[in-house]
Amino acid sequence: MKLGPKPIVTIIGRPNVGKSTLFNTLIEEKKSIISDIPGTTRDFITGKCSWQGQDFTLVDTGGLEIIEPQKIKQLSKEQIPNSKKLTSLIEKKNLSLLQETDLILFLIDAKIGPLPQEKTLALVLKRLNKPILLVANKTDNQKTRKEIIKNKSDWLRLNLGEPIAVSAVTGSGTGDLLDEVVKKIISPEQEIITRIEPIKIAIVGKPNVGKSSLLNAMLGEERVIVSEMPYTTRESIDTFFEYKNQPFILIDTAGIRKKGKISPGIERESIKKSLASIADSDIIFLVTETQDPITVQDARLARAILDSGKGVAIIANKWDLIRNKDTNTQNKFVKYYYRQFPQLSFAPLAFISAMTKEKVNNLLDLAMEINQERGKQADPDELFKIIKTFPKEHKLKSIRQIGIKPPRFLIESRAKPPYPDYLAPSITKRIREKFSYMGTPINVSLEFIKQDKHI
């Protein structure tokens, strides 16, 4: 499955050669988490890049190296929480990604000559019959440039051409690199395509509620690493794809839990990025486990989603684990969920199983419906009928929709504030009864006017 309609350029290399730093520099955004801990980038991260009018998708991968057993013994549990099995899985997924990529950037450390694993990796990459650019990173000064020249014959034995010298930290040489990238990916027969704006969906929830499993089920493939270990997903991961001619971006985020339980370092940064994913999304899938009670943290997360103004659907995952279901079981759960999430009473509730893929196929249709509701314009005449039903003492004179995504309404009144606490919620309720706006928050504000205005 293609990550998106744009060309795909993938950064490959052993751990700690600067892949994430180069990625952040090229997309001009600090998206990948940078750390000295090997294997920090466990799955591939995507970002938008543009150069000389050419857009492409840049991919940052995990290091293609299985950590040796003797090295694992030297690292603490925090440094290497993943097992050898998980590390092997990362390698397998990166190699699968390369089948889709249009250009490979083989990143090396300019200060060090070719290592045995890099020689092996070069052989594997050449068998893929993909264009490859050899990129020598960490050429931060004249000394490292001389070292490249010194080791040039060694690198040329890889049969990947001469290295392109860059410094991911300072940005030196990246312009020349991007020039070469564009030459490799641009096609003379390229057509100008009118692109439909993608719908961005952030999958959020506490650790281990099945967010990565849900993403995999929606895509029909093992796109994201799934593990029973909390915080396997350390970064927000963007996945581009199309469904019914509608482009989507799915964002699998690190699990969110109480601030007091967040350890410093990578985990704290992951939580920060998860919250940023909410702000950057159009629609949020709030994933919960049906077999476990809704917690205070779930409710706080729901409040953050409401405050964001994004579209939202509540996903009741692991529905397959509920035993002895009868005709009333789902109704009981519906009442329970909306009792626990009163602030999200407008959000659709979907009972699914990411593991068995039960009803997962309906979620993208649901997302498209919510996205349409977020952009809906209410009929002005029908809006005016709503405020005319309220008592005259409120002196409501006009109402108009002043925004979409989320829908925003301004009501003008000749009555001076403060207004009754129930007034805005009551008008919001009437608007929903008339226009639905399923899955999207509504903002209603009142404004005092001194004289009548025409609608």
Side-chain angles (χ1 to χ4, degrees), residues 396-423:
L396 304 181
K397 291 300 177 181
S398 70
I399 178 173
R400 66 181 186 273
Q401 187 170 354
I402 59 174
I404 58 173
K405 297 186 176 182
R408 300 186 301 278
F409 300 89
L410 177 64
I411 300 167
E412 295 176 324
S413 171
R414 292 191 65 189
K416 293 184 178 181
Y419 301 107
D421 293 338
Y422 66 83
L423 188 55

PDB file of all heavy atoms in Angstrom, residues 396-423:
ATOM      1  N   LEU A 396     -33.493  37.986  21.880  1.00  0.00           N
ATOM      2  CA  LEU A 396     -32.599  37.461  20.842  1.00  0.00           C
ATOM      3  C   LEU A 396     -33.028  38.019  19.492  1.00  0.00           C
ATOM      4  O   LEU A 396     -34.158  37.822  19.045  1.00  0.00           O
ATOM      5  CB  LEU A 396     -32.646  35.933  20.831  1.00  0.00           C
ATOM      6  CG  LEU A 396     -32.326  35.239  22.165  1.00  0.00           C
ATOM      7  CD1 LEU A 396     -32.391  33.727  22.001  1.00  0.00           C
ATOM      8  CD2 LEU A 396     -30.968  35.666  22.690  1.00  0.00           C
ATOM      9  N   LYS A 397     -32.114  38.729  18.842  1.00  0.00           N
ATOM     10  CA  LYS A 397     -32.472  39.435  17.616  1.00  0.00           C
ATOM     11  C   LYS A 397     -31.933  38.770  16.352  1.00  0.00           C
ATOM     12  O   LYS A 397     -32.552  38.859  15.289  1.00  0.00           O
ATOM     13  CB  LYS A 397     -31.957  40.878  17.683  1.00  0.00           C
ATOM     14  CG  LYS A 397     -32.698  41.721  18.701  1.00  0.00           C
ATOM     15  CD  LYS A 397     -34.180  41.785  18.379  1.00  0.00           C
ATOM     16  CE  LYS A 397     -34.957  42.563  19.404  1.00  0.00           C
ATOM     17  NZ  LYS A 397     -36.403  42.594  19.091  1.00  0.00           N
ATOM     18  N   SER A 398     -30.799  38.143  16.429  1.00  0.00           N
ATOM     19  CA  SER A 398     -30.240  37.518  15.226  1.00  0.00           C
ATOM     20  C   SER A 398     -29.301  36.392  15.603  1.00  0.00           C
ATOM     21  O   SER A 398     -28.787  36.326  16.726  1.00  0.00           O
ATOM     22  CB  SER A 398     -29.490  38.545  14.365  1.00  0.00           C
ATOM     23  OG  SER A 398     -28.290  38.951  15.005  1.00  0.00           O
ATOM     24  N   ILE A 399     -29.094  35.503  14.641  1.00  0.00           N
ATOM     25  CA  ILE A 399     -28.121  34.421  14.789  1.00  0.00           C
ATOM     26  C   ILE A 399     -27.502  34.157  13.431  1.00  0.00           C
ATOM     27  O   ILE A 399     -28.203  34.143  12.415  1.00  0.00           O
ATOM     28  CB  ILE A 399     -28.777  33.130  15.359  1.00  0.00           C
ATOM     29  CG1 ILE A 399     -27.729  32.004  15.447  1.00  0.00           C
ATOM     30  CG2 ILE A 399     -29.962  32.697  14.524  1.00  0.00           C
ATOM     31  CD1 ILE A 399     -28.237  30.748  16.144  1.00  0.00           C
ATOM     32  N   ARG A 400     -26.212  33.965  13.408  1.00  0.00           N
ATOM     33  CA  ARG A 400     -25.553  33.638  12.153  1.00  0.00           C
ATOM     34  C   ARG A 400     -24.364  32.720  12.421  1.00  0.00           C
ATOM     35  O   ARG A 400     -23.745  32.782  13.474  1.00  0.00           O
ATOM     36  CB  ARG A 400     -25.104  34.894  11.409  1.00  0.00           C
ATOM     37  CG  ARG A 400     -24.022  35.702  12.067  1.00  0.00           C
ATOM     38  CD  ARG A 400     -23.689  36.940  11.227  1.00  0.00           C
ATOM     39  NE  ARG A 400     -22.547  37.673  11.743  1.00  0.00           N
ATOM     40  CZ  ARG A 400     -22.616  38.604  12.668  1.00  0.00           C
ATOM     41  NH1 ARG A 400     -23.788  38.921  13.200  1.00  0.00           N
ATOM     42  NH2 ARG A 400     -21.523  39.227  13.076  1.00  0.00           N
ATOM     43  N   GLN A 401     -24.078  31.907  11.443  1.00  0.00           N
ATOM     44  CA  GLN A 401     -22.921  31.021  11.539  1.00  0.00           C
ATOM     45  C   GLN A 401     -21.702  31.802  11.091  1.00  0.00           C
ATOM     46  O   GLN A 401     -21.654  32.355   9.990  1.00  0.00           O
ATOM     47  CB  GLN A 401     -23.100  29.775  10.678  1.00  0.00           C
ATOM     48  CG  GLN A 401     -21.995  28.742  10.862  1.00  0.00           C
ATOM     49  CD  GLN A 401     -22.301  27.416  10.186  1.00  0.00           C
ATOM     50  OE1 GLN A 401     -23.401  27.224   9.664  1.00  0.00           O
ATOM     51  NE2 GLN A 401     -21.348  26.503  10.184  1.00  0.00           N
ATOM     52  N   ILE A 402     -20.690  31.849  11.942  1.00  0.00           N
ATOM     53  CA  ILE A 402     -19.503  32.654  11.650  1.00  0.00           C
ATOM     54  C   ILE A 402     -18.259  31.798  11.396  1.00  0.00           C
ATOM     55  O   ILE A 402     -17.168  32.343  11.196  1.00  0.00           O
ATOM     56  CB  ILE A 402     -19.217  33.638  12.803  1.00  0.00           C
ATOM     57  CG1 ILE A 402     -19.006  32.883  14.118  1.00  0.00           C
ATOM     58  CG2 ILE A 402     -20.327  34.665  12.922  1.00  0.00           C
ATOM     59  CD1 ILE A 402     -18.569  33.769  15.271  1.00  0.00           C
ATOM     60  N   GLY A 403     -18.400  30.471  11.399  1.00  0.00           N
ATOM     61  CA  GLY A 403     -17.240  29.631  11.145  1.00  0.00           C
ATOM     62  C   GLY A 403     -17.610  28.175  11.020  1.00  0.00           C
ATOM     63  O   GLY A 403     -18.712  27.746  11.391  1.00  0.00           O
ATOM     64  N   ILE A 404     -16.672  27.416  10.472  1.00  0.00           N
ATOM     65  CA  ILE A 404     -16.821  25.963  10.375  1.00  0.00           C
ATOM     66  C   ILE A 404     -15.550  25.311  10.918  1.00  0.00           C
ATOM     67  O   ILE A 404     -14.542  25.955  11.136  1.00  0.00           O
ATOM     68  CB  ILE A 404     -17.060  25.507   8.919  1.00  0.00           C
ATOM     69  CG1 ILE A 404     -15.904  25.952   8.020  1.00  0.00           C
ATOM     70  CG2 ILE A 404     -18.387  26.035   8.399  1.00  0.00           C
ATOM     71  CD1 ILE A 404     -15.969  25.403   6.600  1.00  0.00           C
ATOM     72  N   LYS A 405     -15.657  24.011  11.138  1.00  0.00           N
ATOM     73  CA  LYS A 405     -14.520  23.182  11.592  1.00  0.00           C
ATOM     74  C   LYS A 405     -13.791  23.791  12.788  1.00  0.00           C
ATOM     75  O   LYS A 405     -12.585  24.105  12.676  1.00  0.00           O
ATOM     76  CB  LYS A 405     -13.548  22.928  10.431  1.00  0.00           C
ATOM     77  CG  LYS A 405     -14.163  22.139   9.293  1.00  0.00           C
ATOM     78  CD  LYS A 405     -13.149  21.786   8.227  1.00  0.00           C
ATOM     79  CE  LYS A 405     -13.816  20.920   7.162  1.00  0.00           C
ATOM     80  NZ  LYS A 405     -12.876  20.484   6.114  1.00  0.00           N
ATOM     81  N   PRO A 406     -14.416  23.949  13.933  1.00  0.00           N
ATOM     82  CA  PRO A 406     -15.780  23.546  14.265  1.00  0.00           C
ATOM     83  C   PRO A 406     -16.813  24.615  13.909  1.00  0.00           C
ATOM     84  O   PRO A 406     -16.452  25.791  13.751  1.00  0.00           O
ATOM     85  CB  PRO A 406     -15.710  23.361  15.781  1.00  0.00           C
ATOM     86  CG  PRO A 406     -14.715  24.384  16.218  1.00  0.00           C
ATOM     87  CD  PRO A 406     -13.684  24.423  15.123  1.00  0.00           C
ATOM     88  N   PRO A 407     -18.087  24.233  13.825  1.00  0.00           N
ATOM     89  CA  PRO A 407     -19.144  25.216  13.554  1.00  0.00           C
ATOM     90  C   PRO A 407     -19.239  26.227  14.704  1.00  0.00           C
ATOM     91  O   PRO A 407     -19.265  25.849  15.874  1.00  0.00           O
ATOM     92  CB  PRO A 407     -20.411  24.368  13.468  1.00  0.00           C
ATOM     93  CG  PRO A 407     -19.934  22.974  13.208  1.00  0.00           C
ATOM     94  CD  PRO A 407     -18.613  22.867  13.897  1.00  0.00           C
ATOM     95  N   ARG A 408     -19.297  27.521  14.349  1.00  0.00           N
ATOM     96  CA  ARG A 408     -19.383  28.589  15.354  1.00  0.00           C
ATOM     97  C   ARG A 408     -20.549  29.501  15.015  1.00  0.00           C
ATOM     98  O   ARG A 408     -20.746  29.870  13.847  1.00  0.00           O
ATOM     99  CB  ARG A 408     -18.075  29.383  15.417  1.00  0.00           C
ATOM    100  CG  ARG A 408     -16.869  28.544  15.778  1.00  0.00           C
ATOM    101  CD  ARG A 408     -15.617  29.396  15.981  1.00  0.00           C
ATOM    102  NE  ARG A 408     -15.267  30.169  14.799  1.00  0.00           N
ATOM    103  CZ  ARG A 408     -14.588  29.682  13.763  1.00  0.00           C
ATOM    104  NH1 ARG A 408     -14.194  28.413  13.774  1.00  0.00           N
ATOM    105  NH2 ARG A 408     -14.282  30.456  12.731  1.00  0.00           N
ATOM    106  N   PHE A 409     -21.286  29.890  16.044  1.00  0.00           N
ATOM    107  CA  PHE A 409     -22.484  30.702  15.864  1.00  0.00           C
ATOM    108  C   PHE A 409     -22.434  31.919  16.783  1.00  0.00           C
ATOM    109  O   PHE A 409     -22.033  31.812  17.943  1.00  0.00           O
ATOM    110  CB  PHE A 409     -23.752  29.880  16.153  1.00  0.00           C
ATOM    111  CG  PHE A 409     -23.898  28.677  15.259  1.00  0.00           C
ATOM    112  CD1 PHE A 409     -23.335  27.456  15.619  1.00  0.00           C
ATOM    113  CD2 PHE A 409     -24.584  28.759  14.058  1.00  0.00           C
ATOM    114  CE1 PHE A 409     -23.462  26.343  14.806  1.00  0.00           C
ATOM    115  CE2 PHE A 409     -24.706  27.653  13.226  1.00  0.00           C
ATOM    116  CZ  PHE A 409     -24.144  26.450  13.595  1.00  0.00           C
ATOM    117  N   LEU A 410     -22.868  33.051  16.243  1.00  0.00           N
ATOM    118  CA  LEU A 410     -22.938  34.289  17.017  1.00  0.00           C
ATOM    119  C   LEU A 410     -24.390  34.729  17.112  1.00  0.00           C
ATOM    120  O   LEU A 410     -25.084  34.850  16.093  1.00  0.00           O
ATOM    121  CB  LEU A 410     -22.105  35.388  16.358  1.00  0.00           C
ATOM    122  CG  LEU A 410     -22.164  36.769  17.038  1.00  0.00           C
ATOM    123  CD1 LEU A 410     -21.575  36.695  18.444  1.00  0.00           C
ATOM    124  CD2 LEU A 410     -21.449  37.809  16.193  1.00  0.00           C
ATOM    125  N   ILE A 411     -24.839  34.940  18.344  1.00  0.00           N
ATOM    126  CA  ILE A 411     -26.209  35.381  18.591  1.00  0.00           C
ATOM    127  C   ILE A 411     -26.168  36.795  19.147  1.00  0.00           C
ATOM    128  O   ILE A 411     -25.418  37.076  20.090  1.00  0.00           O
ATOM    129  CB  ILE A 411     -26.920  34.443  19.588  1.00  0.00           C
ATOM    130  CG1 ILE A 411     -26.959  33.028  19.021  1.00  0.00           C
ATOM    131  CG2 ILE A 411     -28.320  34.940  19.910  1.00  0.00           C
ATOM    132  CD1 ILE A 411     -27.349  31.980  20.010  1.00  0.00           C
ATOM    133  N   GLU A 412     -26.957  37.671  18.573  1.00  0.00           N
ATOM    134  CA  GLU A 412     -27.032  39.046  19.039  1.00  0.00           C
ATOM    135  C   GLU A 412     -28.302  39.249  19.850  1.00  0.00           C
ATOM    136  O   GLU A 412     -29.381  38.815  19.447  1.00  0.00           O
ATOM    137  CB  GLU A 412     -26.990  40.007  17.850  1.00  0.00           C
ATOM    138  CG  GLU A 412     -25.664  39.963  17.104  1.00  0.00           C
ATOM    139  CD  GLU A 412     -25.653  40.832  15.869  1.00  0.00           C
ATOM    140  OE1 GLU A 412     -26.703  40.911  15.195  1.00  0.00           O
ATOM    141  OE2 GLU A 412     -24.593  41.439  15.583  1.00  0.00           O
ATOM    142  N   SER A 413     -28.140  39.891  20.992  1.00  0.00           N
ATOM    143  CA  SER A 413     -29.268  40.109  21.902  1.00  0.00           C
ATOM    144  C   SER A 413     -29.272  41.564  22.374  1.00  0.00           C
ATOM    145  O   SER A 413     -28.218  42.163  22.581  1.00  0.00           O
ATOM    146  CB  SER A 413     -29.158  39.171  23.110  1.00  0.00           C
ATOM    147  OG  SER A 413     -30.124  39.510  24.083  1.00  0.00           O
ATOM    148  N   ARG A 414     -30.462  42.098  22.565  1.00  0.00           N
ATOM    149  CA  ARG A 414     -30.579  43.447  23.111  1.00  0.00           C
ATOM    150  C   ARG A 414     -30.626  43.434  24.625  1.00  0.00           C
ATOM    151  O   ARG A 414     -30.669  44.499  25.252  1.00  0.00           O
ATOM    152  CB  ARG A 414     -31.824  44.134  22.542  1.00  0.00           C
ATOM    153  CG  ARG A 414     -31.711  44.425  21.037  1.00  0.00           C
ATOM    154  CD  ARG A 414     -32.803  45.329  20.555  1.00  0.00           C
ATOM    155  NE  ARG A 414     -32.684  46.651  21.160  1.00  0.00           N
ATOM    156  CZ  ARG A 414     -33.619  47.600  21.051  1.00  0.00           C
ATOM    157  NH1 ARG A 414     -34.748  47.329  20.399  1.00  0.00           N
ATOM    158  NH2 ARG A 414     -33.440  48.778  21.612  1.00  0.00           N
ATOM    159  N   ALA A 415     -30.645  42.248  25.199  1.00  0.00           N
ATOM    160  CA  ALA A 415     -30.559  42.124  26.664  1.00  0.00           C
ATOM    161  C   ALA A 415     -29.097  42.196  27.080  1.00  0.00           C
ATOM    162  O   ALA A 415     -28.232  41.598  26.457  1.00  0.00           O
ATOM    163  CB  ALA A 415     -31.175  40.802  27.115  1.00  0.00           C
ATOM    164  N   LYS A 416     -28.834  42.944  28.122  1.00  0.00           N
ATOM    165  CA  LYS A 416     -27.456  43.104  28.577  1.00  0.00           C
ATOM    166  C   LYS A 416     -26.978  41.866  29.328  1.00  0.00           C
ATOM    167  O   LYS A 416     -27.755  41.206  30.007  1.00  0.00           O
ATOM    168  CB  LYS A 416     -27.335  44.334  29.478  1.00  0.00           C
ATOM    169  CG  LYS A 416     -27.551  45.654  28.759  1.00  0.00           C
ATOM    170  CD  LYS A 416     -27.331  46.827  29.695  1.00  0.00           C
ATOM    171  CE  LYS A 416     -27.504  48.156  28.961  1.00  0.00           C
ATOM    172  NZ  LYS A 416     -27.258  49.318  29.863  1.00  0.00           N
ATOM    173  N   PRO A 417     -25.699  41.536  29.186  1.00  0.00           N
ATOM    174  CA  PRO A 417     -25.137  40.418  29.970  1.00  0.00           C
ATOM    175  C   PRO A 417     -25.096  40.785  31.446  1.00  0.00           C
ATOM    176  O   PRO A 417     -25.190  41.971  31.768  1.00  0.00           O
ATOM    177  CB  PRO A 417     -23.741  40.256  29.374  1.00  0.00           C
ATOM    178  CG  PRO A 417     -23.419  41.571  28.741  1.00  0.00           C
ATOM    179  CD  PRO A 417     -24.723  42.173  28.305  1.00  0.00           C
ATOM    180  N   PRO A 418     -24.953  39.812  32.361  1.00  0.00           N
ATOM    181  CA  PRO A 418     -24.699  38.392  32.053  1.00  0.00           C
ATOM    182  C   PRO A 418     -25.951  37.663  31.593  1.00  0.00           C
ATOM    183  O   PRO A 418     -27.056  37.979  32.031  1.00  0.00           O
ATOM    184  CB  PRO A 418     -24.202  37.848  33.393  1.00  0.00           C
ATOM    185  CG  PRO A 418     -24.880  38.702  34.410  1.00  0.00           C
ATOM    186  CD  PRO A 418     -24.958  40.079  33.817  1.00  0.00           C
ATOM    187  N   TYR A 419     -25.743  36.654  30.746  1.00  0.00           N
ATOM    188  CA  TYR A 419     -26.849  35.867  30.237  1.00  0.00           C
ATOM    189  C   TYR A 419     -27.011  34.612  31.086  1.00  0.00           C
ATOM    190  O   TYR A 419     -26.045  34.117  31.697  1.00  0.00           O
ATOM    191  CB  TYR A 419     -26.591  35.491  28.781  1.00  0.00           C
ATOM    192  CG  TYR A 419     -26.419  36.710  27.893  1.00  0.00           C
ATOM    193  CD1 TYR A 419     -25.162  37.065  27.411  1.00  0.00           C
ATOM    194  CD2 TYR A 419     -27.508  37.486  27.551  1.00  0.00           C
ATOM    195  CE1 TYR A 419     -25.000  38.183  26.597  1.00  0.00           C
ATOM    196  CE2 TYR A 419     -27.358  38.615  26.744  1.00  0.00           C
ATOM    197  CZ  TYR A 419     -26.106  38.962  26.276  1.00  0.00           C
ATOM    198  OH  TYR A 419     -25.952  40.070  25.494  1.00  0.00           O
ATOM    199  N   PRO A 420     -28.214  34.068  31.160  1.00  0.00           N
ATOM    200  CA  PRO A 420     -28.432  32.846  31.949  1.00  0.00           C
ATOM    201  C   PRO A 420     -27.506  31.718  31.502  1.00  0.00           C
ATOM    202  O   PRO A 420     -27.235  31.570  30.302  1.00  0.00           O
ATOM    203  CB  PRO A 420     -29.899  32.508  31.666  1.00  0.00           C
ATOM    204  CG  PRO A 420     -30.526  33.793  31.225  1.00  0.00           C
ATOM    205  CD  PRO A 420     -29.454  34.555  30.508  1.00  0.00           C
ATOM    206  N   ASP A 421     -27.026  30.948  32.452  1.00  0.00           N
ATOM    207  CA  ASP A 421     -26.089  29.865  32.138  1.00  0.00           C
ATOM    208  C   ASP A 421     -26.685  28.834  31.189  1.00  0.00           C
ATOM    209  O   ASP A 421     -25.955  28.196  30.419  1.00  0.00           O
ATOM    210  CB  ASP A 421     -25.637  29.172  33.432  1.00  0.00           C
ATOM    211  CG  ASP A 421     -24.780  30.081  34.306  1.00  0.00           C
ATOM    212  OD1 ASP A 421     -24.207  31.047  33.759  1.00  0.00           O
ATOM    213  OD2 ASP A 421     -24.687  29.823  35.523  1.00  0.00           O
ATOM    214  N   TYR A 422     -28.002  28.680  31.250  1.00  0.00           N
ATOM    215  CA  TYR A 422     -28.637  27.639  30.447  1.00  0.00           C
ATOM    216  C   TYR A 422     -28.857  28.064  28.996  1.00  0.00           C
ATOM    217  O   TYR A 422     -29.146  27.228  28.133  1.00  0.00           O
ATOM    218  CB  TYR A 422     -29.996  27.256  31.042  1.00  0.00           C
ATOM    219  CG  TYR A 422     -31.024  28.373  30.995  1.00  0.00           C
ATOM    220  CD1 TYR A 422     -31.776  28.615  29.844  1.00  0.00           C
ATOM    221  CD2 TYR A 422     -31.244  29.186  32.108  1.00  0.00           C
ATOM    222  CE1 TYR A 422     -32.706  29.648  29.802  1.00  0.00           C
ATOM    223  CE2 TYR A 422     -32.168  30.212  32.065  1.00  0.00           C
ATOM    224  CZ  TYR A 422     -32.901  30.440  30.918  1.00  0.00           C
ATOM    225  OH  TYR A 422     -33.822  31.460  30.879  1.00  0.00           O
ATOM    226  N   LEU A 423     -28.720  29.369  28.695  1.00  0.00           N
ATOM    227  CA  LEU A 423     -29.140  29.868  27.388  1.00  0.00           C
ATOM    228  C   LEU A 423     -28.308  29.296  26.238  1.00  0.00           C
ATOM    229  O   LEU A 423     -28.858  28.724  25.289  1.00  0.00           O
ATOM    230  CB  LEU A 423     -29.088  31.398  27.373  1.00  0.00           C
ATOM    231  CG  LEU A 423     -29.676  32.066  26.124  1.00  0.00           C
ATOM    232  CD1 LEU A 423     -31.109  31.613  25.903  1.00  0.00           C
ATOM    233  CD2 LEU A 423     -29.612  33.590  26.258  1.00  0.00           C
TER     234      LEU A 423
END
